[in-house]
Amino acid sequence: MSEELQSGIVKKFLYINRRAPHGTNYAQEGLEVALIGAAFDQDVAMAYLDDGVFQLKAGQDTKAIGTKNFSATYRALGDYDVKRVYVERESLERRGLSEDDLMPLVYEDEDDDWEEKPLIHVVSAREMQQIISESDVLLNF
Amino acid sequence: MLHVVNKSPFEKNCLESCARLSQAGSCILLIEDGVYGALADGEACEVVQTCLEDRQVCVLGEDLQARGIEPDRIVSGVEVVDYAGFVKLAVEHPKVQSWL
């Protein structure tokens, strides 16, 4: 890893998130690991499918269940130079959700006068196949 | 009997088994990731609607709020209860079956 970092080889990392956010720790830990990876100047993309799409639901408020509300942390993805967040449309539809139900995530595009652009791309299963197959390193949470 | 379901119906078959094996007149309470089963436009809504024909179905409001699900997004007929309501249900029913 350190040799690769020194040699400047950038690999395409894809973090595949398939778990709902609050019942287990997978979601929070996946997000933290992805942010750490992005801090090491790797090409990091996030994929949300199956129950993972619930992680991006807007309006989460964990006050009443007494756990940390890490849903605000997703907003940091753009700041860590993660420019691609993919959500599978079929997974949303099975759960009665649409793109409008997701939290608005943005990044500032340095190549376009730091304009704020949407981070979330809702994609079909077929597009998701392509995204998975084009990635060099797959990490699952 | 009080039946408690705490797993997402999109990942586990707990809600399905609970629906198949709980008797008329019993109460089903959805908590934690089980609350996703109550989504009115989700694929589990039919199971919940079938249960509602002869059983009481409740969902824990605190867990809905944590997951960003507004009460108007859940299957109509499902009652939203709070933690005090959860305790009341557990006291009212002499037996509790948790579909882990």
Side-chain angles (χ1 to χ4, degrees):
Chain A
M1 179 87 184
S2 64
E3 259 177 43
E4 281 174 3
L5 283 178
Q6 281 161 15
S7 67
I9 295 172
V10 176
K11 289 194 172 181
K12 291 174 80 158
F13 283 70
L14 182 67
Y15 290 81
I16 299 178
N17 299 276
R18 297 181 47 249
R19 305 285 189 120
H22 305 293
T24 65
N25 285 336
Y26 284 93
Q28 186 178 358
E29 298 199 347
L31 178 59
E32 286 176 2
V33 172
L35 290 173
I36 292 165
F40 280 93
D41 281 337
Q42 296 298 298
D43 179 352
V44 172
M46 308 294 285
Y48 293 89
L49 43 134
D50 298 327
D51 272 356
V53 301
F54 285 132
Q55 294 182 31
L56 300 178
K57 176 76 181 65
Q60 296 176 54
D61 173 6
T62 58
K63 237 185 358 259
I65 63 167
T67 62
K68 187 185 167 192
N69 194 4
F70 65 95
S71 72
T73 313
Y74 290 90
R75 289 203 302 264
L77 284 168
D79 301 328
Y80 279 75
D81 241 17
V82 176
K83 296 187 179 101
R84 290 168 297 134
V85 174
Y86 301 109
V87 180
E88 192 204 18
R89 180 174 292 109
E90 284 80 347
S91 295
L92 284 175
E93 285 171 356
R94 286 191 61 192
R95 288 160 183 78
L97 301 178
S98 70
E99 189 165 2
D100 296 340
D101 287 310
L102 306 179
M103 51 178 90
L105 298 181
V106 295
Y107 74 97
E108 292 176 345
D109 188 352
E110 58 183 320
D111 300 324
D112 194 5
D113 201 22
W114 303 100
E115 196 186 326
E116 279 198 348
K117 295 191 174 170
L119 203 52
I120 293 179
H121 303 277
V122 176
V123 299
S124 67
R126 183 164 283 276
E127 290 169 299
M128 191 64 92
Q129 287 176 8
Q130 194 69 21
I131 291 157
I132 292 169
S133 75
E134 285 171 355
S135 300
D136 301 313
V137 183
L138 301 166
L139 294 148
N140 283 269
F141 290 92
Chain B
M1 193 180 304
L2 176 65
H3 295 269
V4 181
V5 174
N6 78 334
K7 298 289 190 293
S8 164
F10 302 102
E11 194 183 322
K12 301 261 161 90
N13 60 8
C14 306
L15 177 62
E16 236 177 276
S17 298
C18 169
R20 189 174 75 248
L21 300 167
S22 56
Q23 284 188 315
S26 58
C27 176
I28 298 170
L29 173 64
L30 307 175
I31 66 168
E32 300 168 16
D33 287 344
V35 304
Y36 291 124
L39 277 168
D41 298 318
E43 275 184 0
C45 73
E46 282 176 30
V47 177
V48 170
Q49 276 157 352
T50 307
C51 290
L52 279 167
E53 288 170 14
D54 56 11
R55 283 155 281 186
Q56 184 186 13
V57 181
C58 299
V59 61
L60 192 62
E62 283 86 344
D63 283 325
L64 285 177
Q65 186 188 12
R67 289 159 182 78
I69 302 171
E70 306 290 330
D72 64 358
R73 296 293 293 270
I74 67 172
V75 174
S76 89
V78 173
E79 298 165 45
V80 178
V81 299
D82 58 10
Y83 280 128
F86 185 172
V87 173
K88 195 157 171 277
L89 286 172
V91 171
E92 278 170 8
H93 294 84
K95 283 183 283 186
V96 179
Q97 157 65 4
S98 285
W99 296 87
L100 297 178

